Amino acid sequence: MSRIGSIEVESLYDSRGRATVEATVALESGARSRAGAPSGASTSVHEVRAFPAGGVPEALATARAHVIPALIGVEATDQAAVDRVLHEVDGTRDFSRIGGNVATAISVATAMAVGEETHRPLWRVIARPGVDGHSFPAIVGNCMNDGVHAIGGPEIQEFIAYAEEKDPRRSVAAVVRVHGLIREAIHRRLPTIALGRGDEGGWVAPLSNEQALEILVEACAAARDELHVAVNPGIDLAASEFFEDGRYRYRDRSLDTDGQVAYVTELVDRYRLRFLEDPLDEGDFDGSAAVTRAVGAKTIVVGDDVYGTDIRRVQEGAAKGTSNAVLIKVNQVGTLTDTMTTVDFCRSHGLATVSSHRSGEVPEGWLAHVALGTGARALKCGVVGGERMAKLNELLRLRRALEG
Ligand code: 2PG
Ligand code: MG
């Protein structure tokens, strides 16, 4: 028996300087753990509300008045029971009463406290059947930030180094090197600009989408030659963010759906992209399916905004062939149980999963445990910055603990 003895919730700031929440869960045995919840900027309309209408103050007040009293005494090892209480107290479809970030912080901190009590790391507490900790995720490293994660860059939100080494030491080294090489390449091309970094630690420079892709491709090739690692370019278009009135609006032109499918397919072929996320608007299952049919044999095509980690959306996408992979963000659904429902569906339906950070992060490493414990194909994260490195370094610690 490991019943919940007390829970504290507090506000803190995320990496963008916006308020978010953390929860400390203590079990009756004395074991305790703390977890903070991140926040997105290019949020999906299909994800739960991070906070109630009154923001963090209302989230904290509601948690203290209603959520915490309902959870005291609940068996912590029964994660489904804990998460059911969160849903019952909330009573809405999208956590708009208690806020998905309060739910996320409590749900994750509870599993971590169970781990404390049983001397197991979080990944073992949540491990899916057959996951033994010997298969590490690839790294999806966001190296250039644009779209809504930066000011002044091109429309495509993320320019990514996708490192597919079995050993996470090699994958992390690869994405870090690509990030560094991009800095040098931008400086060579634009020697007089002051180079900046965006919300996820990637470079921001006045480049077109194609110029950014050229730099990314060259940096990946150079890192491959230098380190002998499997690292390839990828992008997250987050296309919903520049889809307006039925058209994809780029600086120099606008495209209809067929045009966008053709353009993205051409980008994948021309730049040999091996990772592609949200190529179409979040409402468009079929357009993304057309892209997946065209490039999915060689490229991991990932749905993020189109699914919002929501099981019903993922089921629809699976039926339509919308993607061959699903981005998994715990706070898009608000609980570990909901996350695992989606993960388990993906695992039994041949869809890869990618465990992802958010653009506004907390400097914690629990995402690495989610990636390892769910048998994720990849861990998606920024490459530099304390809150990003916290995840990559935690993955390296896990490897050391498991393999010596
Ligand atoms: C995304 C994420 C993380 P946000 O679109 O994949 O990179 O962004 O957290 O802003 O939703
Ligand atoms: Mg995305």
Side-chain angles (χ1 to χ4, degrees):
M1 293 291 279
S2 317
R3 292 190 306 190
I4 294 177
S6 69
I7 301 177
E8 286 165 28
V9 287
E10 295 296 342
S11 66
L12 75 167
Y13 293 97
D14 71 15
S15 54
R16 256 193 300 249
R18 296 183 190 162
T20 184
V21 294
E22 66 178 13
T24 306
V25 173
L27 307 187
E28 284 180 352
S29 62
R32 61 198 287 129
S33 268
R34 189 177 66 196
S39 291
S42 70
T43 47
S44 164
V45 295
H46 308 294
E47 66 180 268
V48 301
R49 301 299 108 208
F51 301 105
V56 170
E58 185 183 335
L60 294 178
T62 307
R64 288 171 186 145
H66 304 288
V67 180
I68 294 171
L71 281 168
I72 302 302
V74 175
E75 176 57 37
T77 55
D78 188 350
Q79 186 79 43
V82 172
D83 293 340
R84 201 176 314 118
V85 170
L86 291 167
H87 276 292
E88 281 167 7
V89 174
D90 179 76
T92 70
R93 273 178 62 92
D94 60 359
F95 274 128
S96 51
R97 179 170 182 233
I98 72 170
N101 273 23
V102 161
T104 297
I106 291 176
S107 188
V108 173
T110 300
M112 288 169 65
V114 168
E116 281 294 311
E117 185 171 77
T118 53
H119 308 292
R120 288 179 298 163
L122 175 64
W123 78 266
R124 278 199 197 276
V125 176
I126 61 171
R128 310 326 292 156
V131 171
D132 60 5
H134 288 297
S135 178
F136 283 87
I139 303 293
V140 174
N142 185 4
C143 291
M144 295 164 94
N145 295 180
D146 295 295
V148 298
H149 295 164
I151 296 172
E155 297 83 3
I156 293 177
Q157 179 177 283
E158 300 172 21
F159 296 84
I160 283 162
Y162 179 39
E164 289 181 274
E165 290 287 330
K166 283 194 170 61
D167 183 339
R169 287 174 301 186
R170 290 173 58 76
S171 293
V172 172
V175 298
V176 168
R177 185 65 185 132
V178 171
H179 186 272
L181 286 165
I182 288 174
R183 175 184 189 272
E184 292 167 23
I186 297 174
H187 184 60
R188 273 198 305 277
R189 212 180 253 243
L190 303 166
T192 57
I193 63 150
L195 186 55
R197 293 210 331 239
D199 286 352
E200 299 185 354
W203 303 111
V204 183
L207 298 163
S208 68
N209 289 315
E210 279 74 9
Q211 287 169 332
L213 276 164
E214 280 160 25
I215 288 172
L216 173 71
V217 167
E218 278 167 29
C220 286
R224 271 198 308 272
D225 289 349
E226 189 185 310
L227 304 175
H228 308 289
V229 283
V231 61
N232 286 289
I235 51 176
D236 176 3
L237 286 101
S240 304
E241 297 295 334
F242 54 93
F243 182 70
E244 270 172 50
D245 302 326
R247 294 188 75 85
Y248 295 88
R249 300 192 183 271
Y250 294 89
R251 270 177 212 169
D252 51 350
R253 67 199 188 290
S254 79
L255 299 173
D256 63 11
T257 297
D258 289 346
Q260 176 75 355
V261 169
Y263 175 57
V264 174
T265 304
E266 202 248 322
L267 287 183
V268 171
D269 289 343
R270 184 164 16 132
Y271 297 105
R272 301 198 182 167
L273 305 179
R274 290 293 167 262
F275 180 95
L276 179 70
E277 185 175 324
D278 281 346
L280 275 292
D281 176 62
E282 62 199 347
D284 191 350
F285 283 98
D286 297 332
S288 183
V291 172
T292 304
R293 277 195 301 279
V295 307
K298 284 194 192 142
T299 299
I300 179 165
V301 182
V302 188
D304 171 16
D305 295 343
V306 66
Y307 300 136
T309 316
D310 181 284
I311 182 65
R312 290 171 297 266
R313 304 275 307 169
V314 173
Q315 284 166 337
E316 187 172 347
K320 292 180 170 161
T322 296
S323 67
N324 56 27
V326 175
L327 207 76
I328 300 290
K329 293 168 169 168
V330 178
N331 85 322
Q332 280 187 330
V333 281
T335 71
L336 281 175
T337 303
D338 291 285
T339 303
M340 298 310 154
T341 301
T342 299
V343 165
D344 291 345
F345 176 85
C346 293
R347 287 171 63 81
S348 59
H349 288 77
L351 289 164
T353 64
V354 176
S355 298
S356 174
H357 69 163
R358 302 303 309 248
S359 48
E361 264 296 342
V362 287
E364 299 176 12
W366 56 260
L367 178 68
H369 291 253
V370 172
L372 187 63
T374 57
R377 170 78 63 86
L379 165 62
K380 183 186 178 197
C381 191
V383 173
V384 297
E387 75 283 1
R388 312 293 152 184
M389 272 305 172
K391 286 113 182 114
L392 298 179
N393 284 338
E394 183 68 5
L395 194 69
L396 297 178
R397 282 186 210 106
L398 288 173
R399 191 216 65 85
R400 266 202 308 276
L402 285 157
E403 292 177 7

